[in-house]
Amino acid sequence: MEATIILHVDGVRRELTVDTRTTLLDALRDRSGEYSPKKGCDHGQCGACTVLVGGRRILSCLALAVACDGDEVTTAAGLAGGEDGPHPLSRAFVEHDAFQCGYCTPGQVCSGVGVLAELEAGMPSHAAAHPGDPVEATDAEIRERMSGNLCRCGAYPAIVAAVREVAR
Amino acid sequence: MSGVEQGALGRPDERVEGWDKVAGRARYAYEQPVPALYVHPVLSTVARGRVLAVDTGPARASAGVEAVLTHENAERLADTSDAEFAVLQGPHIGFCGQIVAAVVARTPEEARRGADLVQVREYAEEHDVVLGPGHPRLYCPDELNAYPEADTRQGDPAAALERAPVVLDRTYRTPMEHNNPMEPHACTVLWEEGTGGGSLTVYDSTQGVHPVRESLAQVLGLHAEQVRVVSEHVGGGFGSKGSPHAHNVVAALAARAVPGRWVKLALTRQQMFTLVGHRTPTIQRVRLGAARDGVLSAVVHDVEEHTSTVKEFAEQSAVCTRMMYAAPHRRTTHRLAALDVPIPFWMRAPGETPGMFALESALDELACELAMDPIVLRERNEPDLDPETGAPWSDRRLVQCLHEGARRFGWAGRDGRARSRREGEWWVGTGVASAVYPHFVNPGSEVEIVHGQGVYTVSIGAADIGTGARTVLGQIAADALSVPAERVRVRIGDTALPPATVAGGSAGTSSWGSAVVAAARALREEHGSEPGEGARARAGTPEDAVAPGYSVYSFGAHFVEARVHADTGEVRVPRMYGLFSVGRVLNPRLARSQLVGGMVMGLSMALHEHTVMDARLGHVVNHDLAQYHVAAHADVQQVEAEWLEGADVRATPMGSRGVGEIGIVGAAAAVANAAHHATGVRVRNLPLTPDRFLVGPRE
Ligand code: FES
Ligand code: FES
């Protein structure tokens, strides 16, 4: 069965016809040629497909496209190529060489931007020693929050350094 | 490079494709913007047997399905001598997860649905998928991966062990492991009929476009010129993309079934666990004979591993023991059991990675036995010449790595006794291990340099799998031509460019870079320092890139702090430090990323990685990233890599050696040694899961 949906991808309105089984990730990649979000597992286990929907990070392989009708989707392409210049985190990734093969990278950047917003909003995580502790951008916090984004190239120390730099 | 100004080399240039990757604009194999059909493979569910019948009716009737390929209707291949590529050529099933059919459909969803509807009736025979010690099917392979001899012997190791005042006899085991690059193997393929017998275009995720072209042409009975393989960006490989695999052949067969239309095939993460290689499990018995002062008289390293019944791959796990430490009496052996398992293949530093876990753990055990500092023990057994060949070393600075690394890590004053430091709920310890990796320069690459409007375009079909090849080849060319790097453009990843050898064996930059230097020299010789428009020169990797008569290896020392929770057995590694000797570092930013990445993979191997085969059903149980855990952010704390300054002009004209693999070698041993120092529990079976520490101290 097919359905027609509207997505606003990095500020561009797109009308798409999708199979009702199509995930948001496949709608972006296979149906609209937006290959910035990557598919590493298709099962919510790697984070490569992370995008921001309404400013919050989600795994686009676990979202059905039809459930995202009308949503604002931001990908790493939108973050790097925004009207006011690239997001500081995109720049920090380049400077810290926070990647090698680059395949996990768009997901890491989107996830990192989501983490920055969560820290800003004081949202708690498992890394806090005690519930209710103030939320700070410590390395332990960043690592905990970024742990859904795997990097087989092992760029973790540089990714954490990039997020830490922008968080401060 | 003699007579060449050092300008670009040694400078930490950012990756030329850095912004493309950060934005997600870098195009990987699947991401070609072409209207395409989608291919979804169907895999066997028994580990040994045959396909009795395939009912394709329901699949063909399913919406959007254009074709279903089976062993009964698929094209007969021209060359099936490599059984891995003999896909859909017969009913035989050699492992669970082998391709037994494939569906071609209009959309990915329809292809997947179609694949679900293909009904394959299989006949199951008895299978055997578990390597145990002394397996009855063990045999001696004719050769090993990259090495001619399965067994070596010097002196009389048995007699030397008899006589030795101290003998250590231990067995270490490493599990089956999977490469799991983040980008699943994928290709986008077009077959066009026409003059010259047709042409095949393949966008592939590969560590070598020319090797893929060669294999596909041979399998399909085409001339190499009929096949073009392109690989602009590669989402990691770690060896698993070092050769084409069965899915490449299926994608080509599918494309040839629908001429003139593109087809896309991306393996699922689950399918990658059986179709693109893995590291064999190993059982390694190490025996050391030593005097009380730690000087070794005998080293014996006997390895048992598995391979597949479909195709042999013999991992060279004991070769490190042939050259690592001095001892007059020495033996190494490799035995394989051909089991009904998927085909093993390269995984980062095949051989050295499991082998050095065993050898470096054994050295640590011997040091404990002798109550000696493990660095001193290694130093006592430092060979002046390569013990295997008798050749002088080109640049062996292992002892310097150990000493200087110890200083920077803060090793001095360590209480060598195990279980001597407790902080709250945690036992704390430190460990050391050596690293080694051989230096290879592969023959067969060529580079063309063309001058136009002040810009030099350097072309070679090399692969950038995350190493930064594009960037560093440009730096090499800039210095070899004595021009600023801004005036060099590098084109790679396409068989339309001059041939390149595989990005493997840490030999990419060494092999391709040597050809870049040769081509730059040729251009200057032929056209001078002010070449005209369109001036060009071409040259290959020189045969004498490595100075003959020397033993050329990279070395390193890993230092690790480990904390083991006293109640739960959880292992945390707050600090890893590696000091390496890899010749001249051509780009510190990129080299650091590779070395740290190798260490992180070594940490992952130490703590987490373990593929589980189901003995009864014959399949991989934990075939996804939720169950096959690779190190995540929270597992990785401080990881630092540094290197000794210097250049090894005997290794390459650039003075460099490879950096892609040495970071993983020895890392797992350093973690295990640190965990032993913390707890007194010696873990000889990887990975170091918590249960291993809940047995109480034992030696
Ligand atoms: S592709 Fe979505 S989490 Fe892996
Ligand atoms: S950069 Fe390759 S997986 Fe993260």
Side-chain angles (χ1 to χ4, degrees), chain A residues 13-60:
Chain A
R13 181 180 188 275
R14 287 180 179 273
E15 188 172 321
L16 299 176
T17 302
V18 297
D19 193 308
T20 50
R21 294 168 293 191
T22 305
T23 61
L24 175 59
L25 177 62
D26 287 349
L28 291 167
R29 284 168 65 83
D30 294 325
R31 312 258 171 172
S32 51
E34 296 282 356
Y35 289 110
S36 177
K38 305 300 181 201
K39 184 185 284 188
C41 71
D42 214 16
H43 277 58
Q45 300 169 347
C46 77
C49 64
T50 307
V51 296
L52 299 163
V53 172
R56 293 184 63 163
R57 50 187 178 145
I58 68 159
L59 297 173
S60 62

Side-chain angles (χ1 to χ4, degrees), chain B residues 10 22 40 62 90 128 142 182 195 198 229 236 306 316 323 328 373 488 502 651 672 687 699:
Chain B
V22 165
H40 199 88
S62 179
D128 185 355
D142 290 338
M182 288 316 299
T195 50
V229 181
H306 81 202
Q316 69 274 32
M323 50 62 66
D373 184 278
V488 175
V502 71
E699 281 300 316

Side-chain angles (χ1 to χ4, degrees), chain B residues 275-294:
Chain B
L275 290 172
V276 297
H278 62 266
R279 196 193 301 283
T280 172
T282 68
I283 302 171
Q284 306 181 55
R285 183 174 178 199
V286 178
R287 276 170 284 179
L288 304 176
R292 284 259 148 234
D293 61 2

Side-chain angles (χ1 to χ4, degrees), chain A residues 29 31 95 97 101 152 156, chain B residues 15 28 109 589 593 631:
Chain A
R29 284 168 65 83
R31 312 258 171 172
E95 283 166 6
D97 203 40
C101 78
R152 191 57 158 159
Y156 298 123
Chain B
R15 283 167 209 272
Y28 297 83
E109 295 82 13
R589 181 188 306 262
S593 287

Side-chain angles (χ1 to χ4, degrees), chain B residues 209-498:
Chain B
V209 288
H210 287 91
V212 171
R213 175 172 79 167
E214 211 166 288
S215 298
L216 285 181
Q218 190 174 340
V219 166
L220 296 168
L222 303 173
H223 297 292
E225 304 78 61
Q226 290 174 272
V227 181
R228 180 175 175 203
V229 181
V230 186
S231 187
E232 206 188 337
H233 297 285
V234 184
F238 312 110
S240 70
K241 294 173 183 168
S243 132
H245 295 290
H247 69 281
N248 294 82
V249 178
V250 170
L253 290 175
R256 277 158 69 91
V258 290
R261 301 165 78 182
W262 288 97
V263 302
K264 289 186 174 187
L265 185 159
L267 291 180
T268 65
R269 180 61 57 182
Q270 287 79 358
Q271 290 167 344
M272 289 169 67
F273 280 79
T274 60
L275 290 172
V276 297
H278 62 266
R279 196 193 301 283
T280 172
T282 68
I283 302 171
Q284 306 181 55
R285 183 174 178 199
V286 178
R287 276 170 284 179
L288 304 176
R292 284 259 148 234
D293 61 2
V295 173
L296 291 170
S297 53
V299 188
V300 176
H301 192 164
D302 298 310
V303 182
E304 296 175 0
E305 309 172 328
H306 81 202
T307 185
S308 150
T309 60
V310 176
K311 176 171 165 179
E312 181 184 273
F313 178 80
E315 181 140 349
Q316 69 274 32
S317 299
V319 296
C320 50
T321 300
R322 297 175 182 173
M323 50 62 66
M324 198 61 200
Y325 298 110
H329 305 282
R330 183 185 312 264
R331 190 183 83 198
T332 67
T333 66
H334 295 80
R335 296 292 176 271
L336 299 181
L339 304 181
D340 307 304
V341 294
I343 304 165
F345 192 50
W346 300 340
M347 178 164 164
R348 205 170 197 168
E352 280 77 14
T353 298
M356 285 292 275
F357 168 69
L359 183 63
E360 293 301 298
S361 295
L363 262 282
D364 200 68
E365 293 208 49
L366 182 62
C368 290
E369 187 108 359
L370 298 169
M372 182 180 279
D373 184 278
I375 295 175
V376 174
L377 176 65
R378 285 173 174 84
E379 206 182 335
R380 292 244 160 107
N381 293 290
E382 177 68 8
D384 295 331
L385 301 171
D386 181 338
E388 184 179 14
T389 62
W393 303 105
S394 72
D395 182 30
R396 178 170 169 133
R397 292 193 283 165
L398 173 62
V399 171
Q400 207 181 327
C401 288
L402 287 163
H403 281 178
E404 182 58 22
R407 194 182 65 73
R408 298 190 197 176
F409 177 79
W411 182 265
R414 173 184 187 257
D415 182 345
R417 290 169 307 156
R419 215 176 175 85
S420 56
R421 187 166 148 209
R422 171 106 179 220
E423 290 178 13
E425 294 166 327
W426 299 85
W427 292 107
V428 183
T430 52
V432 64
S434 305
V436 66
Y437 198 77
H439 174 67
F440 298 111
V441 174
N442 296 321
S445 293
E446 286 177 33
V447 165
E448 185 177 63
I449 304 182
V450 181
H451 172 259
Q453 301 189 326
V455 172
Y456 295 84
T457 302
V458 177
S459 299
I460 176 172
D464 190 334
I465 55 175
T467 53
R470 249 184 215 87
T471 312
V472 85
L473 292 180
Q475 290 177 276
I476 293 170
D479 279 7
L481 292 163
S482 300
V483 298
E486 299 75 56
R487 286 176 59 197
V488 175
R489 218 164 60 94
V490 177
R491 297 196 306 159
I492 60 168
D494 190 339
T495 53
L497 305 174

Side-chain angles (χ1 to χ4, degrees), chain B residues 593-633:
Chain B
S593 287
Q594 285 208 66
L595 293 169
V596 166
M599 292 165 72
V600 168
M601 201 178 270
L603 175 68
S604 186
M605 170 191 184
L607 299 186
H608 313 298
E609 295 186 38
H610 181 195
T611 304
V612 180
M613 293 297 298
D614 186 307
R616 198 167 51 96
L617 299 173
H619 68 284
V620 176
V621 178
N622 52 340
H623 64 168
D624 61 37
L625 292 171
Q627 301 172 88
Y628 185 95
H629 183 66
V630 302
H633 274 283

Side-chain angles (χ1 to χ4, degrees), chain B residues 364 414 428-432 560-562 564 669-679:
Chain B
D364 200 68
R414 173 184 187 257
V428 183
T430 52
V432 64
V560 166
E561 178 184 330
V564 183
V671 174
N673 293 344
H676 170 264
H677 183 233
T679 60

